[in-house]
Short mmCIF file of all heavy atoms in Angstrom, two decimals:
data_model
loop_
_atom_site.label_atom_id
_atom_site.label_comp_id
_atom_site.label_asym_id
_atom_site.label_seq_id
_atom_site.Cartn_x
_atom_site.Cartn_y
_atom_site.Cartn_z
N GLU G 1 2.50 4.81 9.48
CA GLU G 1 1.20 4.55 10.03
C GLU G 1 0.55 3.44 9.22
O GLU G 1 0.66 3.40 8.01
CB GLU G 1 0.35 5.82 9.97
CG GLU G 1 -1.03 5.63 10.52
CD GLU G 1 -1.81 6.92 10.48
OE1 GLU G 1 -1.23 7.99 10.76
OE2 GLU G 1 -2.99 6.86 10.16
N ALA G 2 -0.14 2.53 9.90
CA ALA G 2 -0.80 1.43 9.20
C ALA G 2 -2.02 0.97 9.99
O ALA G 2 -2.06 1.09 11.21
CB ALA G 2 0.15 0.26 9.01
N THR G 3 -2.99 0.46 9.27
CA THR G 3 -4.14 -0.19 9.90
C THR G 3 -4.32 -1.54 9.23
O THR G 3 -4.09 -1.69 8.04
CB THR G 3 -5.44 0.63 9.74
OG1 THR G 3 -5.71 0.82 8.36
CG2 THR G 3 -5.33 1.98 10.42
N ILE G 4 -4.73 -2.52 10.03
CA ILE G 4 -4.92 -3.88 9.52
C ILE G 4 -6.35 -4.32 9.83
O ILE G 4 -6.83 -4.16 10.94
CB ILE G 4 -3.94 -4.87 10.16
CG1 ILE G 4 -2.50 -4.44 9.91
CG2 ILE G 4 -4.18 -6.28 9.63
CD1 ILE G 4 -1.47 -5.23 10.66
N ARG G 5 -6.99 -4.87 8.82
CA ARG G 5 -8.35 -5.42 8.99
C ARG G 5 -8.31 -6.90 8.63
O ARG G 5 -8.04 -7.26 7.49
CB ARG G 5 -9.31 -4.68 8.06
CG ARG G 5 -10.73 -5.12 8.20
CD ARG G 5 -11.63 -4.24 7.34
NE ARG G 5 -12.81 -5.00 7.02
CZ ARG G 5 -13.51 -4.86 5.93
NH1 ARG G 5 -13.16 -3.97 5.03
NH2 ARG G 5 -14.56 -5.59 5.72
N TYR G 6 -8.54 -7.74 9.63
CA TYR G 6 -8.55 -9.18 9.40
C TYR G 6 -9.95 -9.61 8.99
O TYR G 6 -10.92 -9.27 9.65
CB TYR G 6 -8.11 -9.93 10.66
CG TYR G 6 -6.69 -9.59 11.06
CD1 TYR G 6 -6.42 -8.69 12.07
CD2 TYR G 6 -5.63 -10.16 10.38
CE1 TYR G 6 -5.11 -8.38 12.42
CE2 TYR G 6 -4.31 -9.86 10.71
CZ TYR G 6 -4.07 -8.96 11.74
OH TYR G 6 -2.78 -8.65 12.08
N ARG G 7 -10.05 -10.35 7.90
CA ARG G 7 -11.36 -10.77 7.38
C ARG G 7 -11.67 -12.23 7.67
O ARG G 7 -12.80 -12.58 7.91
CB ARG G 7 -11.42 -10.51 5.88
CG ARG G 7 -11.26 -9.05 5.54
CD ARG G 7 -11.18 -8.86 4.07
NE ARG G 7 -12.04 -7.76 3.71
CZ ARG G 7 -12.28 -7.41 2.48
NH1 ARG G 7 -11.76 -8.09 1.49
NH2 ARG G 7 -13.05 -6.39 2.22
N LYS G 8 -10.66 -13.08 7.59
CA LYS G 8 -10.85 -14.50 7.90
C LYS G 8 -9.49 -15.13 8.16
O LYS G 8 -8.47 -14.53 7.86
CB LYS G 8 -11.60 -15.22 6.77
CG LYS G 8 -10.83 -15.36 5.46
CD LYS G 8 -11.58 -16.16 4.42
CE LYS G 8 -11.49 -17.62 4.80
NZ LYS G 8 -12.04 -18.52 3.82
N VAL G 9 -9.49 -16.31 8.73
CA VAL G 9 -8.24 -17.00 9.03
C VAL G 9 -7.52 -17.33 7.72
O VAL G 9 -8.14 -17.87 6.80
CB VAL G 9 -8.51 -18.28 9.84
CG1 VAL G 9 -7.22 -19.06 10.07
CG2 VAL G 9 -9.17 -17.93 11.17
N ALA G 10 -6.26 -17.00 7.67
CA ALA G 10 -5.46 -17.26 6.47
C ALA G 10 -4.79 -18.62 6.59
O ALA G 10 -4.15 -18.92 7.59
CB ALA G 10 -4.42 -16.17 6.29
N ARG G 11 -4.95 -19.44 5.56
CA ARG G 11 -4.33 -20.77 5.53
C ARG G 11 -3.72 -21.02 4.16
O ARG G 11 -4.22 -20.54 3.16
CB ARG G 11 -5.38 -21.85 5.82
CG ARG G 11 -6.03 -21.71 7.17
CD ARG G 11 -7.01 -22.88 7.41
NE ARG G 11 -7.85 -22.65 8.54
CZ ARG G 11 -7.51 -22.87 9.80
NH1 ARG G 11 -6.32 -23.31 10.09
NH2 ARG G 11 -8.36 -22.64 10.78
N GLY G 12 -2.65 -21.79 4.15
CA GLY G 12 -2.03 -22.16 2.87
C GLY G 12 -1.21 -21.02 2.29
O GLY G 12 -0.78 -20.11 2.98
N ASP G 13 -1.01 -21.10 0.97
CA ASP G 13 -0.24 -20.08 0.26
C ASP G 13 -1.01 -18.78 0.23
O ASP G 13 -2.23 -18.77 -0.02
CB ASP G 13 0.05 -20.53 -1.17
CG ASP G 13 0.98 -21.73 -1.22
OD1 ASP G 13 1.77 -21.91 -0.28
OD2 ASP G 13 0.91 -22.49 -2.21
N LEU G 14 -0.30 -17.68 0.47
CA LEU G 14 -0.92 -16.36 0.48
C LEU G 14 -0.23 -15.45 -0.53
O LEU G 14 0.96 -15.61 -0.81
CB LEU G 14 -0.81 -15.72 1.87
CG LEU G 14 -1.43 -16.51 3.01
CD1 LEU G 14 -1.10 -15.85 4.33
CD2 LEU G 14 -2.93 -16.63 2.82
N THR G 15 -0.98 -14.51 -1.07
CA THR G 15 -0.45 -13.52 -1.99
C THR G 15 -0.84 -12.13 -1.51
O THR G 15 -2.00 -11.90 -1.16
CB THR G 15 -1.02 -13.73 -3.41
OG1 THR G 15 -0.67 -15.04 -3.85
CG2 THR G 15 -0.47 -12.71 -4.39
N ALA G 16 0.12 -11.22 -1.47
CA ALA G 16 -0.15 -9.84 -1.08
C ALA G 16 -0.02 -8.95 -2.32
O ALA G 16 0.96 -9.05 -3.06
CB ALA G 16 0.82 -9.38 0.00
N THR G 17 -1.03 -8.10 -2.54
CA THR G 17 -1.03 -7.19 -3.67
C THR G 17 -1.17 -5.77 -3.15
O THR G 17 -2.13 -5.45 -2.45
CB THR G 17 -2.20 -7.50 -4.63
OG1 THR G 17 -2.09 -8.87 -5.04
CG2 THR G 17 -2.16 -6.61 -5.84
N ALA G 18 -0.19 -4.91 -3.48
CA ALA G 18 -0.20 -3.51 -3.04
C ALA G 18 -0.68 -2.62 -4.17
O ALA G 18 -0.28 -2.79 -5.32
CB ALA G 18 1.20 -3.10 -2.60
N THR G 19 -1.55 -1.65 -3.82
CA THR G 19 -2.10 -0.72 -4.80
C THR G 19 -2.02 0.70 -4.26
O THR G 19 -2.44 0.96 -3.12
CB THR G 19 -3.58 -1.05 -5.09
OG1 THR G 19 -3.68 -2.42 -5.49
CG2 THR G 19 -4.14 -0.17 -6.19
N LEU G 20 -1.47 1.62 -5.05
CA LEU G 20 -1.45 3.03 -4.66
C LEU G 20 -2.88 3.55 -4.63
O LEU G 20 -3.69 3.22 -5.49
CB LEU G 20 -0.65 3.86 -5.66
CG LEU G 20 0.86 3.67 -5.65
CD1 LEU G 20 1.48 4.36 -6.86
CD2 LEU G 20 1.45 4.20 -4.36
N LEU G 21 -3.19 4.41 -3.65
CA LEU G 21 -4.53 4.96 -3.54
C LEU G 21 -4.67 6.31 -4.23
O LEU G 21 -5.69 6.98 -4.09
CB LEU G 21 -4.94 5.07 -2.07
CG LEU G 21 -5.08 3.72 -1.37
CD1 LEU G 21 -5.46 3.92 0.08
CD2 LEU G 21 -6.11 2.86 -2.07
N GLU G 22 -3.65 6.71 -4.97
CA GLU G 22 -3.73 7.90 -5.81
C GLU G 22 -3.07 7.54 -7.13
O GLU G 22 -2.27 6.60 -7.20
CB GLU G 22 -3.04 9.10 -5.16
CG GLU G 22 -1.53 9.01 -5.09
CD GLU G 22 -0.89 10.27 -4.52
OE1 GLU G 22 -0.82 11.28 -5.24
OE2 GLU G 22 -0.48 10.23 -3.35
N PRO G 23 -3.41 8.25 -8.19
CA PRO G 23 -2.80 7.92 -9.48
C PRO G 23 -1.27 8.01 -9.43
O PRO G 23 -0.70 8.94 -8.84
CB PRO G 23 -3.38 8.97 -10.43
CG PRO G 23 -4.66 9.38 -9.78
CD PRO G 23 -4.40 9.31 -8.30
N ARG G 24 -0.63 7.03 -10.01
CA ARG G 24 0.84 6.97 -10.04
C ARG G 24 1.43 8.23 -10.64
O ARG G 24 2.41 8.78 -10.14
CB ARG G 24 1.27 5.74 -10.85
CG ARG G 24 2.75 5.54 -10.93
CD ARG G 24 3.06 4.24 -11.72
NE ARG G 24 4.47 4.00 -11.80
CZ ARG G 24 5.23 4.33 -12.84
NH1 ARG G 24 4.70 4.92 -13.88
NH2 ARG G 24 6.52 4.07 -12.83
N ALA G 25 0.82 8.74 -11.70
CA ALA G 25 1.33 9.94 -12.37
C ALA G 25 1.32 11.15 -11.43
O ALA G 25 2.26 11.95 -11.44
CB ALA G 25 0.51 10.24 -13.62
N ASP G 26 0.30 11.27 -10.60
CA ASP G 26 0.22 12.39 -9.64
C ASP G 26 1.33 12.28 -8.60
O ASP G 26 1.97 13.27 -8.24
CB ASP G 26 -1.13 12.41 -8.94
CG ASP G 26 -2.29 12.75 -9.87
OD1 ASP G 26 -2.04 13.13 -11.03
OD2 ASP G 26 -3.44 12.61 -9.42
N LEU G 27 1.56 11.08 -8.13
CA LEU G 27 2.61 10.85 -7.14
C LEU G 27 3.98 11.17 -7.72
O LEU G 27 4.79 11.88 -7.11
CB LEU G 27 2.56 9.40 -6.67
CG LEU G 27 3.54 9.00 -5.59
CD1 LEU G 27 3.28 9.74 -4.30
CD2 LEU G 27 3.49 7.50 -5.37
N LEU G 28 4.25 10.68 -8.92
CA LEU G 28 5.54 10.93 -9.57
C LEU G 28 5.73 12.42 -9.89
O LEU G 28 6.86 12.92 -9.85
CB LEU G 28 5.67 10.10 -10.84
CG LEU G 28 5.78 8.59 -10.61
CD1 LEU G 28 5.79 7.86 -11.94
CD2 LEU G 28 7.01 8.25 -9.79
N ALA G 29 4.64 13.12 -10.17
CA ALA G 29 4.74 14.55 -10.48
C ALA G 29 5.15 15.36 -9.25
O ALA G 29 5.79 16.42 -9.38
CB ALA G 29 3.40 15.06 -11.01
N ARG G 30 4.81 14.89 -8.06
CA ARG G 30 5.16 15.60 -6.83
C ARG G 30 6.60 15.35 -6.39
O ARG G 30 7.17 16.16 -5.66
CB ARG G 30 4.22 15.18 -5.69
CG ARG G 30 2.82 15.70 -5.85
CD ARG G 30 1.98 15.49 -4.61
NE ARG G 30 1.68 14.08 -4.40
CZ ARG G 30 1.75 13.47 -3.22
NH1 ARG G 30 2.10 14.13 -2.14
NH2 ARG G 30 1.46 12.19 -3.10
N LEU G 31 7.20 14.25 -6.82
CA LEU G 31 8.54 13.88 -6.34
C LEU G 31 9.64 14.91 -6.65
O LEU G 31 10.42 15.23 -5.76
CB LEU G 31 8.94 12.52 -6.90
CG LEU G 31 8.50 11.32 -6.10
CD1 LEU G 31 8.85 10.03 -6.82
CD2 LEU G 31 9.09 11.32 -4.71
N PRO G 32 9.74 15.44 -7.86
CA PRO G 32 10.86 16.35 -8.15
C PRO G 32 10.90 17.59 -7.26
O PRO G 32 11.98 18.09 -6.93
CB PRO G 32 10.64 16.74 -9.61
CG PRO G 32 9.85 15.62 -10.19
CD PRO G 32 8.95 15.17 -9.06
N SER G 33 9.77 18.09 -6.83
CA SER G 33 9.74 19.31 -6.02
C SER G 33 9.74 19.02 -4.52
O SER G 33 9.78 19.95 -3.71
CB SER G 33 8.52 20.16 -6.39
OG SER G 33 7.33 19.45 -6.09
N ALA G 34 9.70 17.78 -4.14
CA ALA G 34 9.66 17.41 -2.72
C ALA G 34 11.06 17.10 -2.22
O ALA G 34 11.59 16.01 -2.46
CB ALA G 34 8.73 16.22 -2.53
N GLU G 35 11.67 18.05 -1.53
CA GLU G 35 13.05 17.87 -1.07
C GLU G 35 13.20 16.69 -0.11
O GLU G 35 14.20 16.00 -0.13
CB GLU G 35 13.53 19.14 -0.39
CG GLU G 35 13.72 20.30 -1.33
CD GLU G 35 14.22 21.54 -0.61
OE1 GLU G 35 14.80 21.41 0.48
OE2 GLU G 35 14.03 22.63 -1.16
N LYS G 36 12.20 16.47 0.72
CA LYS G 36 12.28 15.40 1.71
C LYS G 36 11.48 14.16 1.31
O LYS G 36 11.36 13.23 2.09
CB LYS G 36 11.80 15.91 3.07
CG LYS G 36 12.70 16.99 3.62
CD LYS G 36 12.26 17.41 4.99
CE LYS G 36 13.18 18.48 5.54
NZ LYS G 36 12.79 18.88 6.89
N GLY G 37 10.91 14.15 0.12
CA GLY G 37 10.12 13.01 -0.34
C GLY G 37 8.63 13.25 -0.16
O GLY G 37 8.21 14.31 0.27
N VAL G 38 7.85 12.24 -0.50
CA VAL G 38 6.39 12.34 -0.41
C VAL G 38 5.83 11.11 0.29
O VAL G 38 6.44 10.04 0.30
CB VAL G 38 5.74 12.49 -1.80
CG1 VAL G 38 6.17 13.76 -2.49
CG2 VAL G 38 6.03 11.29 -2.68
N GLU G 39 4.65 11.28 0.88
CA GLU G 39 3.94 10.15 1.47
C GLU G 39 2.98 9.59 0.44
O GLU G 39 2.33 10.34 -0.28
CB GLU G 39 3.16 10.59 2.70
CG GLU G 39 4.05 10.93 3.87
CD GLU G 39 3.24 11.24 5.13
OE1 GLU G 39 2.00 11.30 5.07
OE2 GLU G 39 3.88 11.42 6.17
N ALA G 40 2.89 8.28 0.38
CA ALA G 40 1.98 7.61 -0.54
C ALA G 40 1.09 6.66 0.28
O ALA G 40 1.60 5.85 1.05
CB ALA G 40 2.75 6.83 -1.59
N GLN G 41 -0.21 6.78 0.10
CA GLN G 41 -1.15 5.89 0.77
C GLN G 41 -1.29 4.63 -0.09
O GLN G 41 -1.52 4.71 -1.30
CB GLN G 41 -2.51 6.57 0.93
CG GLN G 41 -2.44 7.86 1.73
CD GLN G 41 -1.88 7.66 3.12
OE1 GLN G 41 -2.28 6.75 3.84
NE2 GLN G 41 -0.94 8.50 3.50
N VAL G 42 -1.16 3.48 0.56
CA VAL G 42 -1.16 2.20 -0.15
C VAL G 42 -2.13 1.23 0.53
O VAL G 42 -2.20 1.17 1.75
CB VAL G 42 0.26 1.59 -0.16
CG1 VAL G 42 0.28 0.25 -0.88
CG2 VAL G 42 1.25 2.55 -0.80
N LYS G 43 -2.86 0.49 -0.28
CA LYS G 43 -3.74 -0.57 0.21
C LYS G 43 -3.12 -1.90 -0.19
O LYS G 43 -2.76 -2.10 -1.35
CB LYS G 43 -5.13 -0.43 -0.42
CG LYS G 43 -6.09 -1.53 -0.07
CD LYS G 43 -7.44 -1.24 -0.74
CE LYS G 43 -8.26 -2.47 -0.90
NZ LYS G 43 -9.53 -2.20 -1.58
N VAL G 44 -2.99 -2.80 0.79
CA VAL G 44 -2.45 -4.13 0.53
C VAL G 44 -3.52 -5.16 0.87
O VAL G 44 -4.05 -5.14 1.98
CB VAL G 44 -1.18 -4.40 1.37
CG1 VAL G 44 -0.63 -5.79 1.07
CG2 VAL G 44 -0.13 -3.33 1.12
N VAL G 45 -3.86 -6.01 -0.08
CA VAL G 45 -4.83 -7.07 0.15
C VAL G 45 -4.10 -8.40 0.12
O VAL G 45 -3.35 -8.68 -0.81
CB VAL G 45 -5.95 -7.03 -0.91
CG1 VAL G 45 -6.92 -8.18 -0.71
CG2 VAL G 45 -6.69 -5.70 -0.87
N VAL G 46 -4.32 -9.20 1.15
CA VAL G 46 -3.74 -10.54 1.23
C VAL G 46 -4.83 -11.55 0.89
O VAL G 46 -5.91 -11.52 1.48
CB VAL G 46 -3.17 -10.83 2.63
CG1 VAL G 46 -2.59 -12.22 2.69
CG2 VAL G 46 -2.12 -9.78 3.00
N THR G 47 -4.56 -12.40 -0.11
CA THR G 47 -5.54 -13.40 -0.53
C THR G 47 -4.97 -14.80 -0.34
O THR G 47 -3.76 -15.01 -0.40
CB THR G 47 -5.95 -13.21 -2.01
OG1 THR G 47 -4.78 -13.22 -2.82
CG2 THR G 47 -6.69 -11.90 -2.21
N ASP G 48 -5.87 -15.77 -0.16
CA ASP G 48 -5.44 -17.16 -0.03
C ASP G 48 -5.40 -17.82 -1.41
O ASP G 48 -5.65 -17.15 -2.42
CB ASP G 48 -6.34 -17.93 0.95
CG ASP G 48 -7.79 -18.03 0.51
OD1 ASP G 48 -8.10 -17.77 -0.68
OD2 ASP G 48 -8.63 -18.37 1.36
N GLY G 49 -5.11 -19.09 -1.45
CA GLY G 49 -4.99 -19.81 -2.72
C GLY G 49 -6.25 -19.83 -3.56
O GLY G 49 -6.20 -19.96 -4.78
N ALA G 50 -7.42 -19.65 -2.92
CA ALA G 50 -8.69 -19.60 -3.64
C ALA G 50 -9.05 -18.19 -4.10
O ALA G 50 -10.10 -17.97 -4.69
CB ALA G 50 -9.81 -20.16 -2.75
N GLY G 51 -8.18 -17.21 -3.80
CA GLY G 51 -8.43 -15.84 -4.21
C GLY G 51 -9.32 -15.07 -3.24
O GLY G 51 -9.75 -13.97 -3.53
N VAL G 52 -9.57 -15.64 -2.05
CA VAL G 52 -10.40 -14.99 -1.04
C VAL G 52 -9.54 -14.05 -0.21
O VAL G 52 -8.48 -14.44 0.29
CB VAL G 52 -11.08 -16.04 -0.14
CG1 VAL G 52 -11.87 -15.38 0.97
CG2 VAL G 52 -11.97 -16.95 -0.97
N ALA G 53 -9.99 -12.80 -0.04
CA ALA G 53 -9.25 -11.83 0.76
C ALA G 53 -9.29 -12.23 2.23
O ALA G 53 -10.36 -12.41 2.79
CB ALA G 53 -9.82 -10.44 0.57
N THR G 54 -8.12 -12.38 2.84
CA THR G 54 -8.05 -12.76 4.24
C THR G 54 -7.74 -11.57 5.15
O THR G 54 -8.08 -11.58 6.32
CB THR G 54 -6.98 -13.85 4.46
OG1 THR G 54 -5.72 -13.34 4.05
CG2 THR G 54 -7.34 -15.11 3.68
N SER G 55 -7.08 -10.56 4.60
CA SER G 55 -6.81 -9.35 5.36
C SER G 55 -6.54 -8.19 4.42
O SER G 55 -6.23 -8.38 3.24
CB SER G 55 -5.63 -9.55 6.32
OG SER G 55 -4.47 -9.88 5.62
N GLU G 56 -6.68 -6.99 4.98
CA GLU G 56 -6.43 -5.77 4.21
C GLU G 56 -5.63 -4.82 5.10
O GLU G 56 -5.94 -4.66 6.28
CB GLU G 56 -7.75 -5.12 3.83
CG GLU G 56 -7.60 -3.87 3.01
CD GLU G 56 -8.95 -3.28 2.62
OE1 GLU G 56 -9.76 -4.00 2.01
OE2 GLU G 56 -9.17 -2.11 2.94
N VAL G 57 -4.59 -4.26 4.53
CA VAL G 57 -3.72 -3.34 5.25
C VAL G 57 -3.73 -2.01 4.51
O VAL G 57 -3.63 -1.98 3.29
CB VAL G 57 -2.28 -3.89 5.32
CG1 VAL G 57 -1.36 -2.93 6.05
CG2 VAL G 57 -2.26 -5.27 5.95
N ARG G 58 -3.84 -0.94 5.26
CA ARG G 58 -3.67 0.41 4.70
C ARG G 58 -2.43 0.98 5.37
O ARG G 58 -2.33 1.00 6.59
CB ARG G 58 -4.88 1.28 4.96
CG ARG G 58 -6.09 0.70 4.28
CD ARG G 58 -6.93 1.75 3.69
NE ARG G 58 -8.03 1.09 2.98
CZ ARG G 58 -8.59 1.61 1.93
NH1 ARG G 58 -8.18 2.76 1.47
NH2 ARG G 58 -9.57 0.98 1.33
N VAL G 59 -1.49 1.41 4.55
CA VAL G 59 -0.20 1.84 5.07
C VAL G 59 0.27 3.10 4.35
O VAL G 59 -0.13 3.35 3.21
CB VAL G 59 0.84 0.69 4.91
CG1 VAL G 59 1.09 0.36 3.46
CG2 VAL G 59 2.13 1.00 5.62
N THR G 60 1.07 3.88 5.03
CA THR G 60 1.68 5.06 4.43
C THR G 60 3.14 4.73 4.13
O THR G 60 3.90 4.37 5.02
CB THR G 60 1.61 6.26 5.39
OG1 THR G 60 0.24 6.52 5.71
CG2 THR G 60 2.23 7.49 4.75
N TRP G 61 3.49 4.82 2.86
CA TRP G 61 4.87 4.63 2.43
C TRP G 61 5.50 6.01 2.24
O TRP G 61 4.85 6.94 1.76
CB TRP G 61 4.96 3.87 1.12
CG TRP G 61 4.70 2.41 1.21
CD1 TRP G 61 4.57 1.65 2.33
CD2 TRP G 61 4.54 1.51 0.11
NE1 TRP G 61 4.34 0.35 1.99
CE2 TRP G 61 4.32 0.23 0.64
CE3 TRP G 61 4.56 1.66 -1.27
CZ2 TRP G 61 4.13 -0.89 -0.16
CZ3 TRP G 61 4.38 0.55 -2.06
CH2 TRP G 61 4.16 -0.72 -1.51
N PHE G 62 6.76 6.15 2.57
CA PHE G 62 7.50 7.37 2.33
C PHE G 62 8.41 7.13 1.14
O PHE G 62 9.24 6.21 1.17
CB PHE G 62 8.32 7.76 3.56
CG PHE G 62 9.05 9.06 3.40
CD1 PHE G 62 8.38 10.26 3.51
CD2 PHE G 62 10.39 9.08 3.11
CE1 PHE G 62 9.04 11.45 3.34
CE2 PHE G 62 11.08 10.26 2.95
CZ PHE G 62 10.40 11.46 3.07
N LEU G 63 8.25 7.92 0.09
CA LEU G 63 9.03 7.74 -1.14
C LEU G 63 9.92 8.95 -1.37
O LEU G 63 9.52 10.09 -1.17
CB LEU G 63 8.09 7.57 -2.34
CG LEU G 63 7.06 6.46 -2.22
CD1 LEU G 63 6.11 6.50 -3.40
CD2 LEU G 63 7.73 5.11 -2.11
N LYS G 64 11.12 8.66 -1.82
CA LYS G 64 12.09 9.72 -2.10
C LYS G 64 12.79 9.40 -3.41
O LYS G 64 13.15 8.25 -3.67
CB LYS G 64 13.09 9.79 -0.96
CG LYS G 64 14.05 10.95 -1.08
CD LYS G 64 14.91 11.04 0.16
CE LYS G 64 15.85 12.22 0.03
NZ LYS G 64 16.71 12.34 1.20
N LYS G 65 12.99 10.42 -4.22
CA LYS G 65 13.69 10.25 -5.49
C LYS G 65 15.16 9.97 -5.21
O LYS G 65 15.80 10.64 -4.40
CB LYS G 65 13.55 11.52 -6.33
CG LYS G 65 14.13 11.39 -7.70
CD LYS G 65 13.87 12.62 -8.52
CE LYS G 65 14.47 12.47 -9.89
NZ LYS G 65 14.24 13.62 -10.72
N MET G 66 15.68 8.94 -5.85
CA MET G 66 17.08 8.57 -5.68
C MET G 66 17.93 9.24 -6.75
O MET G 66 17.50 9.38 -7.88
CB MET G 66 17.24 7.04 -5.77
CG MET G 66 16.44 6.27 -4.74
SD MET G 66 16.93 6.61 -3.05
CE MET G 66 18.50 5.81 -3.03
N GLY G 67 19.13 9.60 -6.36
CA GLY G 67 20.08 10.12 -7.33
C GLY G 67 20.10 11.57 -7.55
O GLY G 67 19.60 12.47 -7.23
#
C-alpha cells in the first residue's frame, strides 16, 4: 500500500530519502518472532537539487529475516 503527495513539479537531479516511521530497534525486535515477517511504515521524501521537497510517498514495506 502506498500514497503519494505531489508538492511541486520536479526538475533536474532528484534525491529520494526513506525514513522508517517507527524506531529501528522496535522493528528489529519484532523480526525474530514473526514467522512471516513484519510490515514497516516508511516515508520517502523526494527533493530537487535545491533541497526543496517535490513529493512525499508513504509506503508499507514487508520485511523478513533472512537465513
Side-chain angles (χ1 to χ4, degrees):
E1 179 178 321
T3 58
I4 302 172
R5 183 174 155 210
Y6 297 101
R7 299 174 134 186
K8 68 176 285 186
V9 176
R11 299 183 192 278
D13 294 333
L14 302 173
T15 301
T17 303
T19 305
L20 289 169
L21 295 179
E22 70 176 285
R24 181 178 181 263
D26 293 351
L27 183 64
L28 292 176
R30 289 190 290 136
L31 274 175
S33 63
E35 291 181 21
K36 296 184 179 182
V38 297
E39 290 185 354
Q41 302 301 314
V42 179
K43 175 179 158 182
V44 181
V45 177
V46 179
T47 55
D48 63 15
V52 176
T54 60
S55 60
E56 181 178 305
V57 179
R58 297 220 177 210
V59 64
T60 302
W61 284 351
F62 183 77
L63 305 174
K64 186 174 181 180
K65 185 176 180 179
M66 300 297 289

